[in-house]
C-alpha cells in the first residue's frame, strides 16, 4: 500500500564564526551573521564602526541588503536535510546551481513501502485521493513485477550487489513523480535568498513553495536579520508564500 508522507525540513548545519583575536572588534551577533558583518568591515577596515547608524549587526546587515552588497552573504552557509519531498520537487530544487546536493539513491535503496507525496489539491478531495492512491498501488505492483523479472533475467550475474543495482536502475524508470525523495542541500546565504525569492513566490509550484517557506523559517531562526526582510503570507487557498523587497532579480 502506498503510504503518504509529510514534508520535513531540518537545518543540520550553519556557519560558525571565530573572530580573529588580533582584530579589535566585537558585535552583538554570533555565527553566520557576525561573519557577514566581519567580512563587510574587513573590506573598508571599519572595525571601529565609524557610522553610528550601522553600529549594530542587524543595522549593518540591513544596510548590506539595501545597497545590494550581497556578495558578503556568500561567506555564510546552511545545510538542510529535506525528507517527504517528491521526486518532481527535487528535480526543481536541483536546478539551483549554487547549491550542493546529496540525494537518496533509487539504485541502491529499495524502500519496502512506497512512500509518496500527495499534492494538496488531490489530498483534500476524498475521491481524487482514492484515485491517486490506487494509481500509486497499481504502479507499485507493476514496478515490483518488473523488478522481479529483471532480477531473474540477470540471474547469471555473480555479483549480487551489481545484479540488484542493475535491476533497480531499470525498474525505477516506471516510478511516479510523487515518489518520496530525501536530499541534503547546502548553500550560502545569497543562494538561499535567491532560491526563496524564486520558489516561495506565488508563481512557483505549491510543493516547492512549501519547501522554500519551510527553509526560510529554519534560516530565520539561525539568521533573523539575513532573512528577516522576507514576509510570509497566507494565500486564499491556505498555502503560504514569501517575498522580499530586496530579492527581485529573477
Ligand atoms: C515559476 C517557475 C517556473 C519555471 N518553469 C520552468 C520551465 O517551464 N522549464 C524549465 O526548464 N525551468 C523552469 N523553471 C526553472 C528556472 O528556469 C530555473 O532553472 C531555476 O529556477 C533556477 O533559477 P536560476 O537559474 O535563476 O538560479 P540558480 O541556478 O539558483 O542561479 C542563481 C543565479 O546565478 C546566476 N547564474 C547561475 N548560473 C549562471 C550561468 N550559467 N550564467 C549566468 N548566470 C548564472 C543567475 O543570475 C541566476 O539567477 C521555473 C522556475 C520557476 C520559479
Amino acid at each position: 500500500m502506498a503510504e503518504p508522507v509529510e514534508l520535513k525540513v531540518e537545518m543540520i548545519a550553519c556557519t560558525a564564526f571565530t573572530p580573529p583575536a588580533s582584530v579589535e572588534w566585537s558585535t552583538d551577533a554570533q555565527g553566520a551573521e557576525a561573519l557577514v558583518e566581519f567580512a563587510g568591515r574587513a573590506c573598508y577596515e571599519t572595525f571601529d564602526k565609524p557610522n553610528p547608524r550601522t553600529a549594530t549587526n542587524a543595522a549593518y546587515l540591513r544596510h548590506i541588503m539595501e545597497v545590494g552588497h550581497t556578495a558578503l552573504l556568500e561567506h555564510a552557509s546552511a545545510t538542510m536535510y529535506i525528507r517527504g519531498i517528491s521526486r518532481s520537487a527535487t528535480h526543481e530544487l536541483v536546478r539551483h546551481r549554487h547549491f550542493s546536493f546529496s540525494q537518496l539513491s533509487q539504485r541502491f535503496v529499495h524502500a519496502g513501502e512506497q512512500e509518496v507525496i500527495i499534492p494538496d489539491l488531490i489530498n483534500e478531495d476524498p475521491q481524487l485521493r482514492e484515485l491517486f492512491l490506487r494509481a500509486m498501488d497499481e504502479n507499485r505492483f507493476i514496478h515490483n513485477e518488473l523488478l522481479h523479472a529483471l532480477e531473474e533475467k540477470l540471474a547469471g550475474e555473480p555479483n549480487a550487489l551489481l545484479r540488484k543495482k542493475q535491476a533497480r536502475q531499470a525498474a525505477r524508470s516506471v516510478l511516479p513523480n510523487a515518489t518520496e525523495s530525501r536530499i541534503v542541500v547546502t548553500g550560502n546565504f545569497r543562494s538561499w535568498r535567491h532560491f526563496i525569492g524564486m520558489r516561495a513566490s506565488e508563481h512557483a509550484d505549491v510543493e516547492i513553495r512549501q519547501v522554500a517557506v519551510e527553509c526560510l523559517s529554519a534560516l530565520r531562526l539561525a539568521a533573523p536579520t539575513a532573512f528577516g526582510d522576507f514576509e510570509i503570507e497566507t494565500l486564499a487557498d491556505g498555502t503560504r508564500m514569501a517575498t522580499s523587497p530586496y530579492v527581485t532579480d529573477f
Side-chain angles (χ1 to χ4, degrees):
M1 287 283 284
E3 188 176 327
V5 284
E6 298 283 323
L7 175 68
K8 189 166 185 174
V9 175
E10 289 167 283
M11 182 185 283
I12 56 170
C14 191
T15 289
F17 170 52
T18 311
S22 54
V23 174
E24 246 187 69
W25 166 77
S26 68
T27 188
D28 55 349
Q30 290 179 333
E33 294 192 311
L35 171 60
V36 172
E37 180 186 342
F38 180 86
R41 295 199 182 280
C43 295
Y44 314 107
E45 293 267 323
T46 55
F47 294 113
D48 57 342
K49 306 183 184 178
N51 183 351
R53 279 175 301 155
T54 56
T56 64
N57 177 270
Y60 194 88
L61 263 57
R62 276 196 293 271
H63 178 68
I64 284 170
M65 250 94 76
E66 276 162 24
V67 298
H69 195 179
T70 46
L72 294 171
L73 297 170
E74 293 176 22
H75 294 290
S77 70
T79 303
M80 306 288 170
Y81 184 33
I82 305 174
R83 285 174 281 183
I85 182 170
S86 71
R87 192 78 181 180
S88 55
T90 60
H91 187 75
E92 294 181 332
L93 181 55
V94 300
R95 293 293 297 276
H96 292 274
R97 293 161 284 182
H98 300 292
F99 284 159
S100 305
F101 304 99
S102 299
Q103 183 165 11
L104 178 74
S105 170
Q106 288 183 327
R107 298 167 71 212
F108 280 88
V109 181
H110 175 66
E113 293 298 316
Q114 187 187 29
E115 273 131 2
V116 293
I117 313 306
I118 311 183
D120 289 345
L121 203 57
I122 295 175
N123 202 28
E124 68 197 19
D125 182 318
Q127 257 183 325
L128 295 182
R129 182 183 153 93
E130 207 237 296
L131 191 60
F132 177 91
L133 289 173
R134 187 145 46 92
M136 293 301 111
D137 288 343
E138 282 172 16
N139 174 275
R140 184 62 167 194
F141 176 78
I142 291 165
H143 171 268
N144 289 349
E145 291 279 296
L146 203 51
L147 190 61
H148 292 144
L150 284 161
E151 279 174 1
E152 270 176 32
K153 183 179 162 77
L154 295 163
E157 169 54 58
N159 181 330
L161 193 64
L162 184 62
R163 196 170 60 238
K164 278 188 188 309
K165 198 169 77 175
Q166 285 178 340
R168 279 176 195 159
Q169 72 193 14
R172 71 171 171 165
S173 59
V174 299
L175 289 176
N177 267 337
T179 303
E180 192 221 1
S181 189
R182 296 171 186 190
I183 190 162
V184 177
V185 188
T186 300
N188 65 51
F189 281 9
R190 192 184 200 181
S191 307
W192 279 115
R193 287 176 57 83
H194 178 80
F195 166 74
I196 293 162
M198 292 199 82
R199 301 300 188 168
S201 142
E202 66 178 312
H203 305 295
D205 176 89
V206 180
E207 187 186 352
I208 192 112
R209 176 147 48 87
Q210 196 190 349
V211 171
V213 171
E214 290 294 322
C215 290
L216 171 61
S217 302
L219 287 159
R220 269 179 159 180
L221 288 178
T225 307
F227 294 91
D229 52 313
F230 281 97
E231 288 224 6
I232 299 177
E233 288 168 57
T234 302
L235 295 169
D237 64 0
T239 63
R240 291 183 302 161
M241 62 167 283
T243 49
S244 159
Y246 303 123
V247 186
T248 51
D249 172 28
F250 297 158

